[in-house]
Every structure is written in C-alpha cells, then in structure tokens.
Amino acid sequence: MPENKSEILASYQDDLSLIVDAAYHSGVIAKGYFGKDPEVWMKEGESPVSEADFAVDQYLQKTLQEARPDYGWLSEESDDDYSRLKTRRTFVVDPIDGTRGFIQGMSQWCISIAIVEEGRPICGTLFCPVLEETYAAAVGQGAQLNGETITISPLHQPLQVTGPKSLLNAMKNGVKHATLSDEIEFIPFVPSLAYRIAMVANGALDVAVARGSAKDWDLAAADLILQEAGGELTSTEGEQLIYNQNDVRHGQLIAVGDKHASGLRQALLAMNE
C-alpha cells in the first residue's frame, strides 16, 4: 500500500493508465457491433442490453481483474456477489453507457470505467469510440479530453441544459424560484448519462440532470471527471454521491459548475413544491 502522497498519486496514475487502455480496446470491440444490428434483449424495467454490452463486459472483466486481482468488481452486465464490499479498491464499469443510443446508431455512447476507494472514485475514464473522445481523470490531477485539460465554463446565456424532458420542463417552471435568468435552452437529449455529465465538464453544457434511477456504473467515472474539471455532481439537496455500497442506486441528480450550484438546485427543488 502506498505510504506517502507521491506514491498515492503514482498509484492513481498507474490505475488510470490501465483503465484508459482497457477502455480503448473495449471500444474497438463495441464499434465492431455498431450499426450492424446486434442482438438485443430487454432487461427488467424495459432497459435494452445488446450482445455488444456483454462482449465488452467479458473483455473488461478478464483484462482488469487479471491486472488487479485484489480489486473488486461492479458492472451493469455482471452478477453482483457483493465481494467488492471487502476490497480496498473496486472497478465500477458500464460496458456501454447509452445502449439505446448505441442500438439506434447515435454517436453519443461510451465505455465508462472508474476505480472507487472508500466510497469515491480515485480515477475514471470515458471512451466514446464514434466521436474518438477519451475523457480521463485522477484525484488531484485534473481532467483531460484527448490529453488536453478541460474545465467548466461560465454560464451561457441562455442556460444550456440537457436531461429527460419531464425534468427539464419542470425545472424551467421552477427557475422563477431561483436566482437565475428564466431563459433556458434545452439541448437535445443525450442517451448516455455519463456523456451528459462530461459535457458539463468540458464546458459544452451548464447543467445536466438525471431522474432517480441512475446506478454507480452510470456515474462514478463521469463524477470524478466533472469534479476534476471544477464542477460537481450531487443530489438535488447538494449531497456528494457515495459509491460501492450495498445499494448502488441514486436519486435525482444535478451536474453543474459548483459556483452556480446553489441557484440551480433551488430550481430543481422548486419542481416539487
């Protein structure tokens, strides 16, 4: 176990290099199915899963657990035996985040991989094969897109927001209760939640919202990328997310630049008044 700060940071960087490489190679696998009518099944809750999801999951589990056999494993497409709760670090993986978009031939889907320690991601990556975009971050070392540092942007006018339409409409109605302009531009829905959050990190969006159904694998990597870019992903009450617990589900969420978070949360909370 690392004993000082420099060793800890080095271990984060080693882990980040591992998952960035694995994400790239798994993206090549996924792209081999893209646009080729892969077989699709419906999971509980009417969520689709394709043969590409399973192929990527199998590759990542074999590759990452062979490299770090003492790390736990949590993936959307793997059975969870909860042994991860006894490990110091855990891989948190979504083989294809945005499967609906993947199936429909949209470009905004990605492989999402994080490593979580003591409830928080210490490194994370999103690889978007069609867009040829690699997001990467490690704690205390900033966030990058294709090797270039990214940061959140000042608020756009009008406010650039994306998320499920029902939440966006309710949020627009609630803005009058917050200290914000009432002008909001709804950006077309992005099927990958992780990518929505990354768009806030790179300054393309001001806000990304999510209904209360996201799981650890949808969020952990993007959460760290946004944090290292200067923003934050929280509950609408402003609470930081904790990962690798017994229950991996999360409630309604908002991703923003942190200096604007208070007013935007007020708008979301006003939805329920």
Side-chain angles (χ1 to χ4, degrees), residues 9-273:
L9 292 177
S11 78
Y12 293 169
Q13 195 59 50
D14 286 346
D15 276 354
L16 181 60
S17 296
L18 170 67
I19 63 175
V20 166
D21 184 68
Y24 174 80
H25 288 288
S26 60
V28 173
I29 294 170
K31 201 171 179 183
Y33 293 88
F34 184 63
K36 298 179 181 177
D37 195 25
E39 189 168 1
V40 176
W41 302 267
M42 298 306 291
K43 299 188 291 185
E44 184 179 348
E46 294 303 297
S47 175
V49 61
S50 75
E51 58 182 316
D53 293 81
F54 291 128
V56 171
D57 188 66
Q58 291 170 7
Y59 168 80
L60 287 175
Q61 186 166 20
K62 180 177 186 296
T63 300
L64 296 176
Q65 293 206 296
E66 284 183 356
R68 302 286 191 272
D70 57 330
Y71 285 21
W73 178 260
L74 176 64
S75 169
E76 181 173 13
E77 310 307 345
S78 300
D79 292 333
D80 185 8
D81 63 6
Y82 296 96
S83 60
R84 60 186 170 79
L85 299 175
K86 300 176 182 178
T87 60
R88 185 170 68 93
R89 292 181 178 175
T90 295
F91 292 109
V92 178
V93 173
D94 194 339
I96 297 179
D97 188 71
T99 298
R100 287 185 189 276
F102 175 87
I103 294 166
Q104 294 169 9
M106 300 173 69
S107 61
Q108 294 166 315
W109 54 271
C110 57
I111 288 86
S112 175
I113 309 173
I115 296 177
V116 169
E117 182 176 11
E118 296 181 353
R120 290 292 299 166
I122 58 170
C123 59
T125 188
L126 303 176
F127 176 51
C128 310
V130 178
L131 299 174
E132 298 184 345
E133 293 179 354
T134 298
Y135 291 85
V139 170
Q141 300 180 48
Q144 291 80 40
L145 169 57
N146 292 346
E148 299 293 328
T149 298
I150 56 173
T151 60
I152 59 169
S153 68
L155 284 180
H156 297 89
Q157 293 296 332
L159 204 66
Q160 305 290 294
V161 182
T162 195
K165 189 173 182 179
S166 59
L167 281 183
L168 295 182
N169 285 333
M171 182 179 176
K172 189 170 184 178
N173 291 333
V175 163
K176 63 180 180 293
H177 298 283
T179 56
L180 295 171
S181 164
D182 61 1
E183 293 187 18
I184 293 181
E185 181 178 355
F186 294 170
I187 303 304
F189 182 68
V190 177
S192 165
L193 175 54
Y195 194 79
R196 276 181 252 162
I197 297 168
M199 290 174 71
V200 179
N202 72 21
L205 288 174
D206 297 302
V207 188
V209 294
R211 61 171 63 95
S213 59
K215 310 293 194 303
D216 278 13
W217 46 76
D218 302 306
L219 303 167
D223 185 346
L224 181 62
I225 291 165
L226 179 57
Q227 173 185 302
E228 289 295 314
E232 61 180 21
L233 174 69
T234 68
S235 69
T236 51
E237 290 76 27
E239 297 173 346
Q240 188 178 64
L241 306 188
I242 303 298
Y243 300 100
N244 196 33
Q245 305 295 296
N246 280 291
D247 188 350
V248 300
R249 297 172 297 178
H250 299 271
Q252 196 174 98
L253 305 172
I254 179 167
V256 294
D258 59 357
K259 65 181 178 180
H260 308 304
S262 178
L264 295 168
R265 284 197 205 98
Q266 290 176 37
L268 278 177
L269 289 171
M271 292 163 32
N272 301 316
E273 294 179 356

